[in-house]
Amino acid sequence: FCIFQMDTTQESYLDLFPLDAIVYLTPDSENVLEDIDPNKVYVLGGLVDESIHKKLTLQRAQEQSLQTARLPIREYMVKTVNTKNYHSETLAINQVFDVLSTYYETRSWPAALKAGVSSGKGYVLPD
C-alpha cells in the first residue's frame, strides 16, 4: 500500500523543474516508457475534454521542448475483437496514475496495465 504526497501550486512545471528532468506522457509519443526514473518528473498529458484531440498533448510537449513517452500498452497488450472495433491508447488521468503507481509498486508492466487499462479501451493482456 503506497501513500503519495501531492502539492498543488499556481506555478508551471516549466518554472519548477529543469526541462531535461521533465517527461511529458502522451499516447502519441514514439518513445515507450520502459521504466520510471526517480530523478524525472512525469507530466500526465491531460485534456479536460470529452473528445480526443489527436497529437495535441504531443504538440504541446514539443512546443515546450520536453521529452515525451507513452505507456507500453501495445508492447504488453493485444487488441480484442469487439463489436465497435474500438481500440484506444488514450486513458483518463486517473487511469494513467493507476498504471504508474501500480508499476512503481510491482515493477510489472502487465500488472500495471491490468490495473489501469479498462477492457473498454479494446486492449487486454494476452492469455
Side-chain angles (χ1 to χ4, degrees):
F1 178 67
C2 274
I3 296 178
F4 295 93
Q5 180 179 340
M6 191 179 307
D7 294 321
T8 58
T9 178
Q10 295 293 319
E11 293 177 84
S12 168
Y13 53 87
L14 298 171
D15 298 326
L16 294 171
F17 305 103
L19 287 183
D20 63 353
I22 301 172
V23 179
Y24 202 109
L25 297 178
T26 169
D28 300 309
S29 178
E30 292 180 13
N31 308 316
V32 179
L33 184 64
E34 295 180 14
D35 198 8
I36 296 174
D37 181 342
N39 297 313
K40 299 284 186 184
V41 175
Y42 295 91
V43 175
L44 309 188
L47 302 171
V48 183
D49 191 346
E50 289 298 316
S51 60
I52 294 173
H53 298 277
K54 283 286 184 200
K55 302 199 189 285
L56 186 62
T57 52
L58 178 63
Q59 183 180 347
R60 182 173 297 156
Q62 289 170 335
E63 287 168 359
Q64 297 170 344
S65 301
L66 299 174
Q67 302 170 67
T68 63
R70 64 174 173 78
L71 297 176
I73 293 172
R74 55 186 106 130
E75 285 71 22
Y76 289 92
M77 302 185 91
V78 294
K79 289 182 178 181
T80 58
V81 177
N82 59 51
T83 54
K84 297 178 186 170
N85 196 29
Y86 175 78
H87 304 92
S88 176
E89 295 178 51
T90 301
L91 305 178
I93 290 175
N94 62 305
Q95 292 171 313
V96 176
F97 185 83
D98 288 346
V99 170
L100 293 175
S101 60
T102 302
Y103 177 78
Y104 189 79
E105 276 183 45
T106 65
R107 292 294 190 228
S108 165
W109 282 117
L113 294 167
K114 184 177 182 179
V117 180
S118 69
S119 60
K121 291 292 178 178
Y123 284 91
V124 293
L125 291 171
D127 290 333

